[in-house]
Amino acid sequence: MKKIGFNNDGYLAMKGKQEQIDAIYERLEAIGKKVLGVDKIADYGTFMAAPYDYLVNEFWALYGQYEPGHTSKERFLDSKIKVDTIELEKMRSSLQKLVKEMGKHAPNFSKAKMTNNLKKSDFAIFLNPEKEEEYNALENFINAARVLRAKYNAGTAGSIVTFHNNISLDHYNEADGFLKINTYEYAQR
């Protein structure tokens, strides 16, 4: 299958969301390690899904074994270390929202770690085989116009744009003859 472009805007949007997730992940991890007094979170999947509940249960498991049975796990944690439950809930909510927005590109949270699934290759635009003949004809037409312009100082690119609906001016790439094919019209969906 022929690659005809790259969805840079889509990739950058997902990369921005991934960076936000990374920041939340690092912040939650730092809070978890501080509260629990450990070097590593035992179960990142559970922790990222419900940080406060995880901290309460793990703190109790680590330090609450000598407390009376009627002691509330939440109060026990709050009496030893102040945890900002509102901040944790905001981070949890933001994390879940970002994960949902990223869809298939969202990271996975396993017991051991977070694994990023964002790949640049997922944003490649491939030619729809049913439109290949028309795309190739446009590509040849534009290449011929570039040669005529470069070698023989032929007319302006603006007049060529009117020849076909899917040819446009590329103002960001003037050195290349500033003509381009609207790749989204020919993309495989």
Side-chain angles (χ1 to χ4, degrees):
M1 211 175 323
K2 183 176 181 178
K3 181 181 171 185
I4 59 171
F6 179 73
N7 182 355
N8 195 52
D9 292 340
Y11 174 73
L12 292 176
M14 288 298 155
K15 187 176 178 188
K17 290 177 192 303
Q18 181 62 56
E19 289 169 356
Q20 290 177 45
I21 288 173
D22 291 343
I24 293 169
Y25 176 84
E26 289 172 12
R27 178 75 179 117
L28 282 171
E29 184 179 45
I31 291 169
K33 289 178 180 180
K34 178 183 172 196
V35 168
L36 298 176
V38 295
D39 292 332
K40 189 169 184 339
I41 301 298
D43 185 346
Y44 282 98
T46 304
F47 179 54
M48 294 298 158
Y52 182 70
D53 293 339
Y54 179 86
L55 291 176
V56 165
N57 291 324
E58 288 296 307
F59 194 80
W60 181 261
L62 290 169
Y63 307 110
Q65 63 266 27
Y66 300 113
E67 294 297 313
H70 65 276
T71 304
S72 161
K73 293 178 184 180
E74 290 84 1
R75 282 196 186 149
F76 177 66
L77 174 63
D78 288 340
S79 72
K80 305 296 181 191
I81 296 176
K82 181 64 182 148
V83 176
D84 188 346
T85 57
I86 294 172
E87 180 187 10
L88 284 176
E89 178 54 28
K90 283 181 182 177
M91 285 191 284
R92 183 201 63 78
S93 177
S94 294
L95 181 70
Q96 288 182 345
K97 179 180 177 251
L98 289 165
V99 166
K100 186 176 181 180
E101 289 173 359
M102 286 188 74
K104 72 176 187 174
H105 306 292
N108 292 328
F109 298 98
S110 66
K111 189 171 184 168
K113 63 181 178 178
M114 175 179 76
T115 307
N116 291 334
N117 290 322
L118 182 62
K119 295 181 210 106
K120 232 177 173 178
S121 60
D122 288 343
F123 294 87
I125 300 170
F126 293 97
L127 179 61
N128 181 342
E130 295 174 5
K131 296 183 177 184
E132 185 173 7
E133 187 177 342
E134 181 182 1
Y135 182 87
N136 289 337
L138 281 175
E139 202 172 44
N140 290 335
F141 179 74
I142 289 172
N143 288 336
R146 286 180 183 144
V147 168
L148 286 169
R149 185 168 186 222
K151 286 188 175 181
Y152 306 107
N153 199 20
T156 64
S159 60
I160 295 172
V161 172
T162 60
F163 188 78
H164 196 281
N165 292 339
N166 291 323
I167 298 176
S168 61
L169 293 175
D170 184 0
H171 298 288
Y172 301 106
N173 196 8
E174 290 186 28
D176 194 26
F178 53 101
L179 290 171
K180 68 177 182 176
I181 298 173
N182 180 0
T183 55
Y184 293 101
E185 285 295 320
Y186 298 95
Q188 184 168 9
R189 304 197 198 293

